[in-house]
Amino acid sequence: MGDRRRIKVLISVIGLDGHFTGAEIVSRYLMDAGMEVVYLGIYQTPEMIVSAAIQESVDVIGISSHASNYDQIGMLLDLMKQNGLNDIPVICGGTIPRQHAETLLKRGVSKIFPPQSSSESIVNYITSIVKR
Amino acid sequence: MVNNTVKKIVNGDVMTAAKLIRDIDDQVPETREILKALHGYTGKAYIIGVTGAPGVGKSTIVDQMVRDLRLNGKTVGILAVDPTSPFSGGAILGDRIRMQRHSLDKEVFIRSLATRGQFGGLTQSTLSAIDVLDAMGKEYIIVETVGVGQGEVDIARCVHTTVIVVVPGLGDHVQAIKAGIFEVGDIFVVNKADRPEAERAVTYLRSMIGLAKKEFKNEGWEPSIIMAEALNNKGIIELLNEIEKHRRSKKVGDILVAGKRDSARIQLTEMIKSRLIEETLNRITGSPEFEKYLDCIMERTKDPYTACDELLSAMVFGLSLDPCSAPNRTSNHPDEKD
C-alpha cells in the first residue's frame, strides 16, 4: 500500500508587497512536484497566514518577498510560536538583501532562496525538511 | 486518545479538526476509529453544495453567502475542493483568496481539499470532512466543487441543497442538457448577470426546468433561478432566502427524514468501494502476474479483455492463473495476415 501522505505547502506574500509572480511560479513548481499548495495571494497579514496554516494543516509555509517589510516575517514567526505552530518551517524567497536575510535566519526562518534559485533546489529542500 | 480527539472536536477545537481532516485526506487508518466515534455527533448541520465550471464565481458567491450567514450569527464551515493534477498528483488550492475577509473569524472554518486520485477519493474524504465540521457544531456547511463530473453528482446526493452556478455566454441549452448536472440542481444562479445574454441564459434554464415540471412537482421542489452579481453582492440575499425556502420544502423534508437512508447508502457504498479498490487493485497491479500479462498484451498473445477476466478470477475469486498459456484467440493483427 503506497504512502498517501502528500506534502502540503502554504504560499503567501506578506504585508504591502504586491508582487505575486514569484509566489505563483513557485506554487506551480511545487504542484508539478506533486505537492498540494494552498495559495493565499498578496496583502496577507501574519494573523491571516497563521489562521490559514492552522485551518489547512500545512507542513511548510513559504513567503515570497519582493518589497517586504521584513519585520512582518518576524512577526509571523512570533505569532506562529504563540499559536503552537513552532514545528512548521518557514522558508522565504525573493530579493531579500543579505543583512536582512541574516536577521531572518537568526529569528528562525529555516531557509532563504535568493533570485536564480533553481526549482529543484526549492522542491528538494521542502521534501527534505518535511519529516513524516 | 480517540476520546480526547473527539472531545476536542466536539468542543470546536480548530487545530485538532484541521489535523484530523489532513489525516483523513492522507488516508491514515487510525482516523477510522475517530470517525466512528464522531458519527454520533453528526447530522445537525445544514449542508449546501455549490458547483459549476471554473471561473463562474463559486468562491465569490460562497464568500458573500458566508458574510450574510455571519451577519445572522450562524456558524459556517467551508470545504473548497480543487482538482488534483492527473500528471503530478499535486494541486494549487486557491479558493481561500476569495474568502479572505473571513480568515480571522473564529466561527468560520475554511478548508481547501484536492480531489486526489480518481477512485471516489473526492467523495470519500469530502464526506468524512463534512462529518468533522458537522461534529464541530457548524450550523451551515458549504461544499464548493469544481466542474461537472460524476463526483459532483455524488456530492449533490449528499448535500441538502445543491446550487449550480452558471454564467452568461457559456453555451446554449444543449450545453445545459449534456452537462448532466442539470438534474441535480435545486437552485441555479446566473452569476455575472450584468453581462450580455444573461436574460438568455435564464430563458434557457427556465425552458429546461419547464420540461421536467411534472417530475419536480412530485419531488416537491421546482428548481429556481436567481440572477446575481456576486462581486457586487447582488442576488446573494435572494439566494439565501431561496435556500431557506428549499430547506422547508417537501423535497428536503423527505431528504431529512427518509432520504437519510440514501445518503447513508452512498456513504457506505463509497467507503466499501474505496477500501475494495485500495486493497484489491494494489494487490493485483503490484503482482508479478500483472506484469506478465502486460508483456503478453504487448506481444499480442493476449487481449486486455481476457487478461482482465483472468486476473480478476484469479486474484479476487481465487482460481488458478496462467498468464500466457495459450493464445486465447487467433491472431488477426494486420502484420501477421497472409
Side-chain angles (χ1 to χ4, degrees):
Chain A
M1 224 134 289
D3 189 1
R4 303 299 174 91
R5 282 279 178 196
R6 229 162 264 187
I7 296 174
K8 197 167 173 184
V9 186
L10 185 152
I11 296 286
S12 181
V13 182
I14 201 165
L16 290 178
D17 189 343
H19 299 83
F20 52 79
T21 312
E24 290 183 2
I25 288 177
V26 170
S27 297
R28 181 63 205 269
Y29 283 155
L30 300 183
M31 177 179 87
D32 288 345
M35 300 181 193
E36 287 181 356
V37 181
V38 178
Y39 178 60
L40 292 192
I42 52 177
Y43 305 141
Q44 300 295 301
T45 64
E47 288 81 4
M48 291 160 96
I49 295 172
V50 165
S51 166
I54 293 173
Q55 292 182 358
E56 298 287 350
S57 195
V58 295
D59 300 310
V60 179
I61 294 177
I63 304 293
S64 170
S65 170
H66 183 83
S68 272
N69 177 358
Y70 305 106
D71 283 347
Q72 294 225 330
I73 301 177
M75 285 160 65
L76 170 69
L77 294 166
D78 292 343
L79 202 63
M80 285 173 65
K81 273 188 205 114
Q82 284 166 32
N83 283 278
L85 299 181
N86 316 32
D87 56 331
I88 301 182
V90 176
I91 59 174
C92 297
T95 51
I96 301 173
R98 196 173 300 135
Q99 64 271 34
H100 288 295
E102 280 164 13
T103 318
L104 286 174
L105 289 170
K106 265 183 214 144
R107 285 199 72 165
V109 167
S110 69
K111 179 95 176 165
I112 291 175
F113 291 94
Q116 308 200 351
S117 301
S118 69
S119 59
E120 289 85 11
S121 66
I122 302 173
V123 168
N124 291 342
Y125 182 75
I126 292 177
T127 313
S128 73
I129 54 172
V130 177
K131 294 177 292 243
R132 281 287 173 190
Chain B
M1 167 53 193
V2 170
N3 284 340
N4 199 16
T5 309
V6 170
K7 207 169 147 193
K8 278 185 177 165
I9 287 171
V10 173
N11 288 330
D13 186 284
V14 174
M15 188 148 348
T16 312
K19 282 195 171 141
L20 176 62
I21 296 177
R22 177 74 197 275
D23 286 343
I24 291 168
D25 224 9
D26 287 338
Q27 302 190 9
V28 177
E30 288 76 35
T31 56
R32 275 184 207 138
E33 293 308 314
I34 299 168
L35 285 169
K36 280 179 200 171
L38 273 181
H39 189 255
Y41 297 95
T42 60
K44 294 186 285 275
Y46 194 75
I47 306 164
I48 303 164
V50 177
T51 191
V56 295
K58 296 178 294 297
S59 301
T60 309
I61 287 176
V62 170
D63 172 64
Q64 299 284 21
M65 284 165 72
V66 173
R67 175 179 168 272
D68 283 346
L69 288 170
R70 292 297 297 137
L71 286 175
N72 289 314
K74 306 290 183 194
T75 58
V76 190
I78 300 157
L79 294 172
V81 186
D82 269 337
T84 292
S85 158
F87 299 102
S88 69
I92 291 181
L93 311 168
D95 292 323
R96 292 186 80 95
I97 295 179
R98 319 269 172 238
M99 305 178 192
Q100 267 159 13
R101 58 176 150 175
H102 306 297
S103 68
L104 296 181
D105 186 337
K106 299 270 180 255
E107 301 298 340
V108 178
F109 186 129
I110 308 171
R111 181 53 179 252
S112 321
L113 292 171
T115 51
R116 296 204 182 171
Q118 64 266 49
F119 306 125
L122 163 74
T123 329
Q124 186 46 52
S125 62
T126 309
L127 286 175
S128 302
I130 290 174
D131 279 351
V132 176
L133 295 180
D134 194 347
M136 279 178 86
K138 298 295 176 204
E139 292 165 276
Y140 285 85
I141 297 172
I142 305 177
V143 186
E144 183 194 323
T145 53
V146 170
V148 290
Q150 187 62 37
E152 285 68 30
V153 175
D154 282 344
I155 282 288
R157 283 197 223 121
C158 298
V159 303
H160 300 119
T161 302
T162 303
V163 178
I164 293 182
V165 185
V166 297
V167 290
L170 268 192
D172 58 11
H173 57 287
V174 180
Q175 297 296 336
I177 309 171
K178 77 174 177 190
I181 53 168
F182 184 79
E183 296 87 335
V184 299
D186 297 309
I187 299 169
F188 290 87
V189 176
V190 178
N191 194 29
K192 310 189 188 182
D194 54 331
R195 294 211 174 166
E197 299 200 357
E199 290 291 346
R200 193 187 279 185
V202 172
T203 311
Y204 282 144
L205 284 171
R206 192 164 289 145
S207 63
M208 293 306 304
I209 292 167
L211 285 177
K213 239 186 167 77
K214 212 169 169 185
E215 230 168 87
F216 292 134
K217 207 168 180 181
N218 295 336
E219 281 181 359
W221 176 258
E222 185 180 314
S224 44
I225 304 164
I226 288 172
M227 291 176 84
E229 292 168 45
L231 213 50
N232 303 322
N233 203 17
K234 283 187 189 164
I236 302 301
I237 290 176
E238 290 81 352
L239 171 60
L240 285 168
N241 287 341
E242 205 60 31
I243 290 171
E244 282 308 310
K245 223 165 109 190
H246 181 242
R247 184 179 189 167
R248 290 191 302 271
S249 73
K250 180 178 165 291
K251 184 176 176 188
V252 176
D254 288 349
I255 292 174
L256 289 174
V257 187
K260 274 210 168 136
R261 197 180 177 80
D262 276 347
S263 74
R265 184 194 313 278
I266 291 166
Q267 189 163 11
L268 187 57
T269 312
E270 284 301 324
M271 219 173 269
I272 293 172
K273 201 202 282 177
S274 62
R275 285 278 289 280
L276 271 181
I277 289 172
E278 186 183 316
E279 283 159 26
T280 315
L281 185 73
N282 287 340
R283 191 157 52 85
I284 296 178
T285 54
S287 68
E289 286 84 359
F290 183 78
E291 298 298 325
K292 274 184 216 153
Y293 270 105
L294 291 183
D295 292 339
C296 297
I297 292 167
M298 277 161 59
E299 288 158 13
R300 303 208 171 260
T301 51
K302 196 74 127 193
D303 67 87
Y305 308 97
T306 315
C308 174
D309 287 345
E310 291 181 5
L311 275 168
L312 282 179
S313 354
M315 311 285 276
V316 182
F317 306 110
L319 304 176
S320 68
L321 191 65
D322 191 8
C324 298
S325 50
N328 60 325
R329 63 185 160 93
T330 48
S331 174
N332 54 2
H333 196 279
D335 296 346
E336 294 166 35
K337 276 196 178 144
D338 294 329

